[in-house]
Amino acid sequence: MTDTFATRKHQVVSSLVETLDSERRDKSPKGFIDAPILDLIHIINKHPDYYTTSSCSGRVAVYCEGYQDDKSTTKGGIWLYVTHEPVVIPEQADNEWITNLLFGSGRRIVFGNNLSPQDIMHKQMVYFKFEPLILHVEAASQEACMRLNGLAFQAGYQNSGMTPSRTREMLAIRSTHKIDTPIGYVDSNGDIQCLVDPTYLFLLLHMSNDKFTQNADRMKQFEDMMLKEVEGNEAKMAIETKEERRERKRREGLEKAAAAAAAAAATSSNNLSKGENDIDVDLTDLNLEH
């Protein structure tokens, strides 16, 4: 099958995994689309010029980066905590609650650090992250890609842009309101040495929850804009169909009129010929004078 935009869109859209499924998974760590972004994805995919290739609705995460072995080869990092929803902070939340939440209950967390910044920079770092919505979309044409990029900018996704590709028109939709800061490192015993106190960790959670609200508002704004874009495109197609139908009816009417006129002309001609053939002149009744 030819690898065209239409075939790629059909393959991707038909294989979307929208809920947890033991038999089907997508390429994301959790295996299915984030629920908060599902409506937006459906609207984008409904437009004939676009389809989403990957997505994240936004998340709070704690990430432990990879470590270097004796050959200076970096091994893969691990996610200590990930959520795609605002964090509900109990009124009775204490230091133990937040460390267990962010780092896991099976790790020893040590507050207080005696190393210099230069020494810490060479350690296996632990980062707190808030990452807003990100969408990757393929467009049917460069014009359509630029149109969607403009809509994304209007919705507040000012870090969006077209991504280089020789054969496809790709767009990354993203914003800049994020958090990415080191909060600790892994020491030689495998313990996490926390570089900040629990109060600062609570501050990061509260800041992230505010950014989740901004993220949801921006997503809804973009969703509304895309819905209008889809409806406008459908209305345009409907209007064009009516015009085409009207033009076809007009042509058919002209053709019928022309056929009727030709038939009438043929009938008239036949009648005239028949009348001429029926003339019988009797010369004996004529009184011709010489």
Side-chain angles (χ1 to χ4, degrees):
M1 181 179 291
T2 304
D3 185 27
T4 65
F5 172 83
T7 56
R8 290 194 298 271
K9 177 173 181 176
H10 174 73
Q11 290 169 357
V12 170
V13 173
S14 62
S15 63
L16 289 177
V17 183
E18 300 183 1
T19 57
L20 181 62
D21 190 328
S22 60
E23 298 182 356
R24 299 175 63 232
R25 292 180 57 89
D26 61 26
K27 295 180 180 180
S28 65
K30 69 180 194 175
F32 58 95
I33 298 172
D34 301 339
I37 205 173
L38 197 54
D39 289 343
L40 176 58
I41 287 178
H42 284 162
I43 292 171
I44 292 175
N45 290 342
K46 192 175 182 180
H47 196 291
D49 289 342
Y50 308 112
Y51 75 96
T52 58
T53 61
S54 64
S55 65
C56 178
S57 64
R59 64 184 178 184
V60 167
V62 176
Y63 178 72
C64 180
E65 68 179 4
Y67 65 92
Q68 290 188 339
D69 59 16
D70 295 338
K71 298 179 181 179
S72 297
T73 301
T74 301
K75 302 295 184 180
I78 57 173
W79 298 96
L80 302 180
Y81 175 72
V82 178
T83 180
H84 296 271
E85 303 281 355
V87 180
V88 178
I89 305 175
E91 292 184 4
Q92 297 80 17
D94 55 14
N95 295 351
E96 182 180 2
W97 177 86
I98 197 167
T99 54
N100 287 342
L101 176 75
L102 299 182
F103 302 114
S105 58
R107 291 178 175 271
R108 183 169 179 262
I109 311 300
V110 180
F111 289 94
N113 167 66
N114 297 320
L115 296 182
S116 66
Q118 291 81 2
D119 291 333
I120 294 174
M121 288 178 59
H122 298 289
K123 296 292 185 180
Q124 185 182 356
M125 302 299 296
V126 177
Y127 293 88
F128 181 97
K129 298 173 176 284
F130 173 82
E131 297 173 334
L133 171 144
I134 182 168
L135 269 174
H136 290 98
V137 179
E138 181 177 357
S141 65
Q142 186 179 67
E143 180 182 1
C145 197
M146 293 176 65
R147 168 68 178 168
L148 184 58
N149 191 44
L151 292 175
F153 263 75
Q154 292 178 43
Y157 296 106
Q158 297 180 351
N159 200 30
S160 300
M162 299 169 64
T163 58
S165 174
R166 288 186 293 180
T167 58
R168 303 166 66 181
E169 301 296 338
M170 300 297 301
L171 177 68
I173 299 173
R174 55 201 173 199
S175 66
T176 57
H177 65 297
K178 61 188 298 184
I179 300 173
D180 193 348
T181 183
I183 56 174
Y185 63 89
V186 180
D187 63 19
S188 57
N189 297 320
D191 299 331
I192 293 180
Q193 296 282 339
C194 205
L195 296 171
V196 298
D197 60 27
T199 300
Y200 188 76
L201 296 178
F202 275 107
L203 174 62
L204 290 175
L205 279 188
H206 282 289
M207 292 175 64
S208 296
N209 283 345
D210 285 345
K211 290 184 180 293
F212 260 126
T213 300
Q214 299 171 28
N215 188 64
D217 291 343
R218 192 166 296 178
M219 192 188 312
K220 184 63 170 64
Q221 182 181 357
F222 187 44
E223 182 181 316
D224 292 342
M225 294 173 67
M226 282 304 305
L227 182 59
K228 290 181 180 179
E229 187 76 5
V230 169
E231 291 174 345
N233 182 74
E234 291 176 344
K236 181 180 178 181
M237 293 177 65
I239 292 173
E240 290 174 348
T241 301
K242 289 179 180 178
E243 290 176 350
E244 292 172 355
R245 185 181 299 110
R246 188 180 299 114
E247 177 63 20
R248 177 174 58 81
K249 292 291 186 181
R250 187 186 70 83
R251 288 197 304 268
E252 290 176 352
L254 291 175
E255 291 171 358
K256 288 181 179 179
T267 300
S268 176
S269 177
N270 290 337
N271 290 338
L272 180 59
S273 298
K274 182 177 180 181
E276 290 175 348
N277 293 334
D278 289 343
I279 296 176
D280 186 10
V281 179
D282 187 355
L283 295 178
T284 60
D285 292 337
L286 294 177
N287 184 17
L288 301 176
E289 296 180 353
H290 297 278

